[in-house]
Amino acid sequence: MKKRSKRLIGMAAVAISAMVVGAPALAAADSIKIGTFLAVTGPASFLGDPELKTLQMYIEEINAKGGVDGKTVELVHYDTGGNAKKAVSFAKRLIKRDKVDVIVGGSTSGSTLAAMPEISKAGVPFISLAGSVKIIDPVNKWTFKTPHTDRMAASKVFLDMQKRGITKVALISGDGG
């Protein structure tokens, strides 16, 4: 599993624990339900597969230690295959049918940005794993993110290129967010 994914999911696990420990609505629940929509298959599976495995690992570890405030943590997962329309559908399902307490996901910026309006409208805390600065700018009361922004990454790449004396660049980009 890639170190970056483990670190990001680890930060998400800490954030989830902090959110759910103080949430009064969870007081009556037997478990804490974490919903996720990730690109475990498809073109972004290099992100989604380790994200899912890391979430599963952390939840197993948390439950082995007695859960959070004595409540077990349950993961409800859907694979978007990198499709933003599926992300929206799965976000709705996580909220309405599965009644999750928090959502972690969006392996890609396109999936995250597509699902954000539904998640925000429902008032469910959402921790994004995607990079677009648009996820947090403007600030959204219900949305958080763990990785650096795309703007920060581009700046670091540019500084590294300057340091190495690289003056020619080629860019290959997708249109999926």
Side-chain angles (χ1 to χ4, degrees):
M1 208 169 304
K2 294 180 179 175
K3 285 184 180 181
R4 177 184 175 272
S5 290
K6 285 181 79 171
R7 186 174 62 247
L8 294 177
I9 300 295
M11 289 188 292
V14 170
I16 290 165
S17 295
M19 282 184 199
V20 297
V21 166
L26 297 175
D30 292 333
S31 67
I32 297 164
K33 289 176 111 177
I34 298 173
T36 185
F37 57 92
L38 301 168
V40 176
T41 60
S45 63
F46 69 96
L47 295 168
D49 182 58
E51 289 167 346
L52 177 60
K53 288 175 180 169
T54 306
L55 270 170
Q56 291 168 331
M57 180 186 69
Y58 274 107
I59 288 171
E60 186 177 307
E61 187 177 302
I62 289 167
N63 285 334
K65 293 179 181 176
V68 176
D69 280 352
K71 298 177 191 299
T72 59
V73 180
E74 179 183 343
L75 183 66
V76 181
H77 167 69
Y78 297 106
D79 178 14
T80 67
N83 182 313
K85 287 182 182 177
K86 284 185 180 180
V88 174
S89 174
F90 292 145
K92 289 178 182 179
R93 187 183 302 176
L94 288 166
I95 294 162
K96 294 175 183 168
R97 188 182 80 189
D98 300 315
K99 300 194 183 313
V100 298
D101 300 299
V102 63
I103 296 175
V104 177
S107 297
T108 65
S109 296
S111 293
T112 291
L113 292 166
M116 277 177 59
E118 290 295 329
I119 298 169
S120 292
K121 185 170 64 175
V124 175
F126 176 45
I127 301 171
S128 172
L129 303 176
S132 176
V133 73
K134 291 180 181 181
I135 295 165
I136 55 167
D137 187 9
V139 172
N140 178 310
K141 177 180 178 179
W142 297 103
T143 304
F144 309 87
K145 68 188 240 57
T146 58
H148 59 268
T149 65
D150 48 3
R151 191 177 298 154
M152 294 164 79
S155 174
K156 291 289 185 184
V157 169
F158 180 70
L159 290 173
D160 184 63
M161 289 172 59
Q162 282 183 318
K163 188 171 96 178
R164 295 172 187 234
I166 298 171
T167 57
K168 293 183 180 182
V169 179
L171 178 66
I172 299 174
S173 180
D175 63 359

